[in-house]
Amino acid sequence: MFKVTLPNGRTLAPGLVVIDMQNGFVSKGGSYDKIGYNTTMYREVIPKIKDLIEFCRSMGIPVFYTEAVKENSGIDILTNVHNILPKSRQERLKVPICVRGTWDGVTIDELKPKEKDPVVLKRRDSAFQDTDFRIMLQSQSINLLVFTGIDTSICVETSLREGFNTGYDVAIISDATASGDKRHYETTLERVRDYYG
């Protein structure tokens, strides 16, 4: 496993985290495409993420994937829990998005996990909430999380913040993450620079 020793004698053991690069969000014919979301920015980062994955694998750096999934029954959708949701969240619930076990719900072919790559199935924005992600990281002594994927200002930022607050060092690769809103993307990068990583 790749490790870096810092001048203070501490060691960094990085892991690459690929957030939600699923057909439903990114691909033509996926749920977001069917709803009418502009997913061009999501597709533009695919080559950068692919290069990062290949680099990490060549260096022995573990690659972790997250997939945001829902049940076909809809039992786990946000409207079953929340009474007040922003309009943007309500619109996404009009069709099933990234249903577990469907083409829509899996990582795109260009970035497909290898058999040994851990995949974290998540029901909410954070990779940590109600998942085994921490156990996976601890089992490999990872202490630096390098984030890529989508959406920068939602799932990437939420996962990064929770990782930081849990005790991990964090970084975000600015040209390997994308948001549907450029202003939100820039705000997240500024927050990370100023407060987290």
Side-chain angles (χ1 to χ4, degrees):
M1 176 185 293
F2 181 84
K3 292 184 180 180
V4 175
T5 302
L6 301 173
N8 64 7
R10 291 188 177 184
T11 302
L12 286 178
L16 184 68
V17 186
V18 181
I19 301 281
D20 300 352
M21 292 298 292
Q22 296 159 256
N23 289 308
F25 299 131
V26 178
S27 298
K28 291 282 187 187
S31 289
Y32 268 26
D33 184 48
K34 288 178 182 174
I35 291 172
Y37 276 49
N38 180 356
T39 57
T40 305
M41 290 174 284
Y42 294 162
R43 284 191 296 282
E44 286 174 354
V45 298
I46 293 170
K48 288 287 186 185
I49 297 173
K50 186 175 182 182
D51 288 347
L52 272 168
I53 291 169
E54 290 171 3
F55 172 77
C56 287
R57 286 183 175 144
S58 74
M59 297 297 292
I61 297 170
V63 180
F64 299 86
Y65 291 79
T66 71
E67 293 177 352
V69 294
K70 298 285 186 250
E71 292 300 315
N72 195 39
S73 67
I75 194 170
D76 51 356
I77 62 174
L78 290 171
T79 52
N80 289 342
V81 178
H82 295 276
N83 295 309
I84 302 170
L85 281 172
K87 186 178 179 208
S88 63
R89 292 265 184 168
Q90 291 173 11
E91 290 171 347
R92 293 180 207 177
L93 300 173
K94 290 180 183 175
V95 297
I97 294 174
C98 296
V99 171
R100 184 173 56 89
T102 66
W103 170 85
D104 211 54
V106 297
T107 300
I108 60 174
D109 285 343
E110 297 95 320
L111 306 176
K112 198 170 201 142
K114 293 199 181 230
E115 190 175 332
K116 67 180 178 78
D117 295 328
V119 178
V120 178
L121 297 181
K122 63 189 187 72
R123 306 292 178 153
R124 295 294 182 253
D125 296 341
S126 173
F128 289 92
Q129 183 180 344
D130 302 324
T131 72
D132 294 330
F133 192 33
R134 280 187 75 184
I135 294 168
M136 294 175 184
L137 297 171
Q138 289 170 345
S139 73
Q140 298 191 48
S141 301
I142 303 297
N143 62 6
L144 168 62
L145 304 178
V146 180
F147 286 90
T148 66
I150 62 167
D151 186 287
T152 311
S153 58
I154 305 171
C155 295
V156 174
E157 182 175 343
T158 303
S159 299
L160 182 144
R161 283 177 179 236
E162 191 164 347
F164 176 87
N165 287 316
T166 303
Y168 293 95
D169 290 308
V170 296
I172 189 169
I173 307 297
S174 61
D175 60 355
T177 183
S179 178
D181 185 310
K182 179 89 168 149
R183 185 174 49 90
H184 293 170
Y185 166 85
E186 295 293 346
T187 300
T188 293
L189 295 185
E190 184 178 354
R191 282 188 189 124
V192 172
R193 274 191 303 269
D194 289 350
Y195 302 114
Y196 299 106

